[in-house]
Amino acid sequence: MERLFNGESVSILLFLIGVYGLLARRNIIKTVIALAIMQSAIILFFLTINYEDGRIPPIGDVTIHTAVDPMPQALMITAIVIGVAVCS
Amino acid sequence: MSLFWLVVLPIITALIGYLSHYKRINILLGIAQLCTLGIAILTFIKVILYGPMTQALGDYQGSIGINLVADPISSFFVVLTCFLFTAMLLFNYHKSYMNRLFLFLFLTLQGLIVAVFLSNDLFDIYTLLEVSTVVVSILIMYKRDSQSIYDGMVYLLTNLVSMAFFLFGLGYIYKIFGTLDLTAIKAAIPYVENTDTLILPYAFLITAIGLKSALMPLFSWLPRAHGTPSAPSIVSAVLSGIYVKGGVYLFIRFQDTFKMGLDTSYIFILIGFATAVIGFIFALSQTDLKLLLAYSTVSQIGLIVFGLSLGSDYSYYGAVYHIMNHAVFKATLFLTAGMIIEEYETRDIRKIKGLFKRMPFVAIIVLIAIMGITGAPLFNGSVSKSLIQKGISYQSYLEYGLIFINLGTIITYIKYATILTGDHQKGPSVRWNQKVALSVLAFACILGGLFGQWFVNILFDLDIALSLTDLLNKGGVYLISLLIGYTFFKYWYPKIHFFKTMREIELSFNEIIFTIVFFFGSFLSYLLVVY
């Protein structure tokens, strides 16, 4: 059960909910909300790929094996900024 | 000279122009635009002489940093973009709506399109496409009447949805490869043991790119955006001329990257053919000048994708050359359409008559552009179309498909050419700047045809020797197609009610989203069944 509910499956589910919202609702506010749901799904997906327990933030003096990959976080900050700009 | 200036210079000068209240600031913008064009041409010559250039921002080499790559094709697209934008600015500089805000958006769009052509990183491409979507939708809504605001909103929302698909696919790519650099991904793809893992990200990315480049079920946003009544004609010309080509260029890049893992060229032959046929059927059914041109763009995109997927070098590079030619003549057609609409104060093709008498200069330019797009011998369209044909001369049924597509284009433009004839008194003369801009574009149409072999040789290293018999042969086929097209248009076309029903079709926003989901679902299931 724990294996099934990982970030990937939850984010795909959220993404599909967003797509359903776009398909079935004609109200433009709800369309924007559905878009925001899709954005959140993507952010969740990026943050949970390549996740492993026990990794530390890549700040200061760490070796490459114990630190998490900082790239998805950096990408998602940009994506959040873009999402805020277009959804509001 | 650094490649980054190509992207940054228009944006910086646009920003200065926006913030400054000095009246003569437009001179600075003009000089900067000419500088950008000069840098683009220099870069192109350098790339041709010394081979592809790669530049990284900062000191991060390889796939870590942000790279810009200029190879012969992308640098030629950059030259084309700068050339078209310069021509548009010259064409329109006396108009009242060319204020600081418009110039800011317009020049920013130029920088963004150039960056899309040069960029080598998927996330950069995502950001650039997202920003350019916002800029383009503001440009569409620029005159603020309700129809164009509605069209602009539909454009914005559909493209945002497609970019969400793109970003999701990008996440999977990052999960598999750990990098977003296209060169690195291309190098890594042969080592992917299980190509099934590539299917989902590929379907996500192709859905987004298919919407950007207006493939078969996903094109219904394009006529709204490109043919919306009140958008300035230079915006329509830029969108239809070069902005859609950004999507097609990304399609080329992605197919090139993924072809080692997933070879989907066969399905894209079908999709391209269907897009071309549906495009010209829709174009033929329109009575609105700009909508006809917009649907004709869909048809030509179909032809380009068809040519790209045929799998022979000649067709591939013929299609790339057709992208460039289409940019030139479609921009010319949109600009002249804007002038015609202003002069006649109607958009209905049936009410516009006697262009030769009323605006002789514009009529000649329109005629040259029509000769180009229908592929008359010695014009640029004929070179690219004959290259596409040369690649498939061993598969006769595909060749007939190509002739069929061209016949559709010819019939569409016979309908368009009905505006030329008829009687009318002479109208006012054309301003000098519009004359210069249109002459340069029309000259490019003829130049691309006369020196087509030479261009193809330099750009793609392909040798095409066209003999006199070839030329006569093509001229014969063209004349026969013209004759068939004319007979069809004169005698059968008015009797067919099918076109009238096609004209009524307009998808709502939800239906457009449905086409996106449908395309994604069917493409995914096709890939899952085949691989």
Side-chain angles (χ1 to χ4, degrees), chain B residues 4 55-58 60 62-68 119-121 124 181:
Chain B
F4 289 96
Q55 280 180 3
L57 190 62
Y60 302 99
S63 63
I64 306 168
I66 295 174
N67 290 313
L68 293 187
S119 184
N120 199 35
D121 182 280
D124 289 354
D181 191 84

Side-chain angles (χ1 to χ4, degrees), chain B residues 287-357:
Chain B
T287 55
D288 185 314
L289 213 57
K290 266 182 150 180
L291 280 181
L292 188 146
L293 293 177
Y295 276 113
S296 153
T297 301
V298 175
S299 168
Q300 299 296 310
I301 296 274
L303 174 64
I304 290 164
V305 170
F306 179 75
L308 285 173
S309 313
L310 284 170
S312 92
D313 268 2
Y314 284 110
S315 315
Y316 186 81
Y317 290 117
V320 175
Y321 193 51
H322 197 66
I323 297 179
M324 299 160 186
N325 293 334
H326 181 257
V328 175
F329 42 63
K330 195 44 76 65
T332 319
L333 283 170
F334 263 111
L335 290 183
T336 46
M339 291 172 75
I340 293 165
I341 291 167
E342 253 171 44
E343 175 70 26
Y344 283 79
E345 289 173 347
T346 175
R347 304 159 54 79
D348 195 328
I349 215 164
R350 293 165 296 192
K351 288 179 187 153
I352 303 175
K353 287 276 173 284
L355 193 67
F356 258 124
K357 293 268 169 59

